[in-house]
Amino acid sequence: MPLRWQEVAVPLSIIISLLILKYVPLTADLPLSRAAGVVAFGYAAFLALRLLQSEEALLVDGWSELRPSLVEYFACYGAAALAVVLMSAVIVIGSSKHIPATQMVATFLASLLLGAGALGIGLGGLFTRVRWNNKCIEHRSALGRVTSIVWSDVRAVRPNWRGITIATQSAGTITFSQFHAGAAQLATHASNRARRNAEPASKAFATL
């Protein structure tokens, strides 16, 4: 699957920002070089797992269903594990007088950000369910909310920071992760439906 430009720009921007902050007096004492190395290693693992992402959805009882990919599992559980390690370091060695306060604050904030990221990936990707057949597409959120859209109502398919959104004129929207196995297949199918629905003949046929 081809990479989106955000998937390349975001990690490179983070690495460059960390290297620049290394030469700022206020943050010079922080282990930013190590943090940049962790980001680079994580991005390399992301690229490797991205190549293994399946293009096809899983067929279950007449439905085509998206499934979380290895990228999402790695990002969610990896971020959660790293957050636990950093928070443990803050608790265990936080009282040491040999550790600068700025490092403890930065480590604490990093653990909170990683924990929030893991939670967001879990709620938005791992624990959601998206499936479709020849009549409709159905989305079940991590909290159990179900949204169903019939194909004749689809008007647009557009990418955003959360993933890919399928929009209708009045029946709401469904957003799914571009990292799900089968996401490209669903996006292509939804785009074709939106294009067909925009044609007058297709609109007339859909109302029959």
Side-chain angles (χ1 to χ4, degrees):
M1 175 180 291
L3 295 176
R4 297 167 62 183
W5 68 268
Q6 294 93 335
E7 298 174 28
V8 177
V10 171
L12 290 181
S13 300
I14 293 175
I15 293 174
I16 293 173
S17 299
L18 291 174
L19 294 178
I20 292 175
L21 289 174
K22 183 64 180 177
Y23 298 96
V24 176
L26 183 62
T27 57
D29 294 333
L30 299 178
L32 297 178
S33 298
R34 295 181 181 178
V38 171
V39 174
F41 171 78
Y43 184 56
F46 164 81
L47 291 178
L49 294 174
R50 192 79 159 90
L51 295 176
L52 300 176
Q53 182 174 334
S54 174
E55 297 282 347
E56 300 294 328
L58 185 67
L59 293 176
V60 180
D61 297 330
W63 292 79
S64 298
E65 186 171 323
L66 300 185
R67 289 297 173 90
S69 66
L70 293 176
V71 169
E72 292 171 301
Y73 282 111
F74 171 78
C76 182
Y77 294 119
L82 188 55
V84 171
V85 170
L86 293 179
M87 186 60 71
S88 300
V90 171
I91 295 173
V92 173
I93 66 176
S95 59
S96 175
K97 297 181 180 180
H98 302 289
I99 306 299
T102 53
Q103 289 191 15
M104 287 295 97
V105 172
T107 303
F108 178 74
L109 292 177
S111 66
L112 291 181
L113 290 175
L114 287 169
L119 180 62
I121 294 171
L123 293 178
L126 296 187
F127 306 118
T128 61
R129 183 181 184 185
V130 180
R131 61 178 188 170
W132 74 96
N133 56 20
N134 61 344
K135 296 181 180 179
C136 66
I137 175 174
E138 181 180 282
H139 176 276
R140 181 184 295 273
S141 70
L143 302 178
R145 180 182 177 184
V146 178
T147 303
S148 182
I149 294 176
V150 296
W151 287 117
S152 58
D153 288 336
V154 174
R155 291 295 177 268
V157 179
R158 50 180 178 267
N160 53 48
W161 66 272
R162 294 172 55 198
I164 302 173
T165 296
I166 300 176
T168 66
Q169 190 169 5
S170 60
T173 62
I174 286 178
T175 299
F176 58 94
S177 171
Q178 72 270 22
F179 300 122
H180 277 353
Q185 180 184 359
L186 176 56
T188 300
H189 184 68
S191 298
N192 292 336
R193 288 282 187 163
R195 184 169 58 252
R196 288 169 55 189
N197 291 340
E199 299 173 0
S202 296
K203 289 184 178 180
F205 180 78
T207 59
L208 295 178

